[in-house]
């Protein structure tokens, strides 16, 4: 068996750690070629000591100096680099054939795009990268000729439920009618909006079913996450937006579904554990042990589904509107949301002001055709500035 050489963008995060957990159990199949992190140098050092990658990347020079020191003490001869160009170098290195894209947010765009262009197998967790650059990213994958495996649990589920030919090129003869994305509804699913004004970051991050990084946890509470996922599904699977539906499913057992023309609905089920989609992406088309307990249907009280209430989840409504608008609207949606969520987590922006900042910002940014990386990066930068100004005005009032 040919051993896969895996680079992990964001190895110290929730997806990164779960990826290493799967790799650890299958040393004959996978070797770690590169590990990258933002600022968590100590955790990255531990990972390098265990997995001995060729390359490790951190955000800045000071982090690189500390990491080098820690690795020299342990006689690990991993090459230590820093900065965004180094992320690109790590994933395009000829030793690596598989890239787990698990940086959170727009910071992951350039290396993920580079991995696509370089024809690597891309395991896509970093949905923000695809939402920002949709068409451009899918073109880069096509030109690079590598495989794109969705890691987001819903999209991984849909990938599993679709005919394999359809995941290569959407074909109307295959009878795919609709994609049904499930959503837990987050910790405030049943809490009236007027009780959410004093919500703290820790309360918003306490997801009922999944353990995840803080940004995506807040996005799950506001359901912006599902909005980003609708846009993600649109690009990944090539169906019109009106055929992509969201269902609130509090138990997080059915990870998503495909409805077919003949009346069949195919669902993928499992424990809410990201190691299942990660193992699927790593080993595809084979299946390997992911370390995940088997699902026991008899121990489940019930499975329930309902339509989302858009007045309860204004972020989901904003995402639908941006998806409809197309062009750079999703780029701006993502940037405004990143700024608003960061301000909620770190700078005292009240929880209920997240959709307010996103909406005001989107109203102030003109939609353009998303036809080049320059335009996308320009809209991203411009939107962040406008969103930051709205945050400032709210926080200082
Ligand atoms: P996390 O916050 O736990 O980890 C993020 C990783 O990115 C860390 O390694 C961090 O060091 C790195 N990072 C952050 N900013 C960086 C920067 N500027 N430059 C370089 N590296 C940087 O996040 P997570 O929960 O693991 O999520 C990662 C991605 O996967 C997100 O896009 C998220 O939407 C997606 N995702 C996560 C889950 C989940 O269960 N956690 C599920 C589906 C999709
Ligand atoms: Mg998801």
């Amino acid at each position: 068996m040919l051993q896969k050489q895996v680079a992990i963008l964001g190895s110290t995060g929730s997806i990164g750690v779960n990826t290493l957990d799967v790799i650890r159990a299958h040393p004959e199949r996978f070797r770690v070629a590169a590990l990258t992190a933002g600022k968590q140098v100590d955790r990255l050092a531990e990972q390098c000591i265990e997995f001995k990658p060729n390359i490790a990347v951190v955000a800045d020079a000071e982090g690189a100096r500390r990491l080098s020191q820690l690795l020299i003490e342990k006689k690990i001869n991993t090459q230590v680099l820093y900065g965004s160009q180094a992320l690109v170098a790590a994933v395009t290195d000829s030793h690596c054939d598989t890239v787990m894209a698990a940086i959170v947010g727009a910071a992951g765009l350039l290396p993920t795009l580079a991995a696509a262009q370089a024809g690597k197998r891309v395991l896509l967790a970093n949905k923000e990268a695809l939402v920002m650059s949709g068409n451009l990213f899918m073109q880069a994958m096509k030109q690079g000729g590598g495989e794109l495996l969705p890691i987001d649990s819903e999209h991984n589920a849909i990938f599993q439920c679709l005919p394999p030919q359809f995941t290569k090129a959407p074909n109307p003869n295959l009878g795919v009618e609709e994609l049904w994305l499930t959503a837990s509804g987050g910790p405030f699913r049943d809490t009236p909006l007027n009780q959410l004004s004093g919500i703290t970051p820790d309360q918003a991050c306490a997801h009922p079913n999944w353990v995840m990084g803080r940004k995506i946890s807040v996005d799950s509470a506001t359901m912006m996450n599902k909005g980003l996922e609708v846009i993600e599904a649109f690009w990944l699977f090539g169906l019109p937006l009106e055929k992509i539906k969201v269902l609130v499913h509090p138990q997080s057992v059915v990870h998503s579904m495909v409805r077919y023309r003949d009346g069949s609905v195919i669902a993928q089920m499992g424990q809410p554990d990201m190691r299942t989609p990660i193992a699927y992406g790593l080993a595809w088309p084979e299946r390997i042990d992911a370390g995940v307990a088997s699902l026991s249907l008899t121990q489940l009280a019930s499975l329930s589904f309902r339509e989302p209430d858009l007045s309860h989840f204004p972020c989901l409504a904003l995402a639908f509107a941006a998806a409809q608008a197309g062009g750079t609207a999703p780029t701006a949606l993502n940037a405004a949301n990143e700024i608003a969520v960061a301000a909620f987590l770190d700078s005292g922006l009240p929880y209920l002001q997240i959709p307010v900042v996103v909406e005001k910002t989107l109203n102030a940014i003109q939609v353009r055709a998303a036809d080049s990386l320059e335009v996308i990066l320009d809209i991203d930068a411009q939107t962040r500035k406008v969103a930051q100004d709205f945050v400032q005005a709210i926080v200082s009032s």
Side-chain angles (χ1 to χ4, degrees), residues 10 12-15 38 40 102-103 107 125-128 152 212-213 274:
T12 55
S14 163
I15 293 288
Q40 294 145 306
I103 289 178
N126 181 198
K127 68 193 86 185
E128 296 92 342
D152 213 348
M212 310 181 284
M274 287 308 292

Side-chain angles (χ1 to χ4, degrees), residues 296-379:
S296 169
L297 287 175
T298 52
Q299 283 181 7
L300 292 170
S302 70
L303 296 179
S304 59
F305 302 90
R306 64 178 193 239
E307 301 250 351
D309 172 358
L310 292 186
S311 65
H312 193 72
F313 293 108
C315 283
L316 183 57
L318 289 166
F320 279 133
Q324 289 293 349
T328 55
T331 317
L333 172 86
N334 177 66
N337 182 58
E338 284 194 35
I339 293 295
V341 172
F344 166 65
L345 286 172
D346 304 321
S347 315
L349 181 77
Y351 177 78
L352 288 175
Q353 296 295 315
I354 294 173
V356 175
V357 169
V358 173
E359 182 168 19
K360 284 186 170 172
T361 305
L362 290 182
N363 288 340
I365 301 281
Q366 224 179 349
V367 178
R368 291 158 66 185
D371 47 14
S372 73
L373 185 58
E374 289 67 40
V375 168
I376 286 162
L377 295 178
D378 184 44
I379 289 284

Side-chain angles (χ1 to χ4, degrees), residues 63 71 206 211 218 227 264 320 359:
L71 296 186
V211 182
V218 175
S264 301
F320 279 133
E359 182 168 19

Side-chain angles (χ1 to χ4, degrees), residues 142-166:
K142 206 177 241 174
Q143 281 157 10
E147 293 141 350
L148 178 57
L149 277 302
I151 298 303
D152 213 348
S153 58
E154 297 77 3
H155 306 73
N156 187 269
I158 288 170
F159 188 91
Q160 295 192 42
C161 297
L162 283 171
Q165 313 93 292
F166 193 93

Side-chain angles (χ1 to χ4, degrees), residues 35 71 73 115 139 146 163 187 202 224 229 241 244 261-262 275 315 347 360 365 375 377:
L35 293 174
L71 296 186
E73 280 167 19
Q139 273 176 16
D202 283 346
M224 178 61 88
E229 289 183 358
L241 275 173
I244 304 172
R261 185 180 299 154
D262 63 4
R275 289 174 301 174
C315 283
S347 315
K360 284 186 170 172
I365 301 281
V375 168
L377 295 178

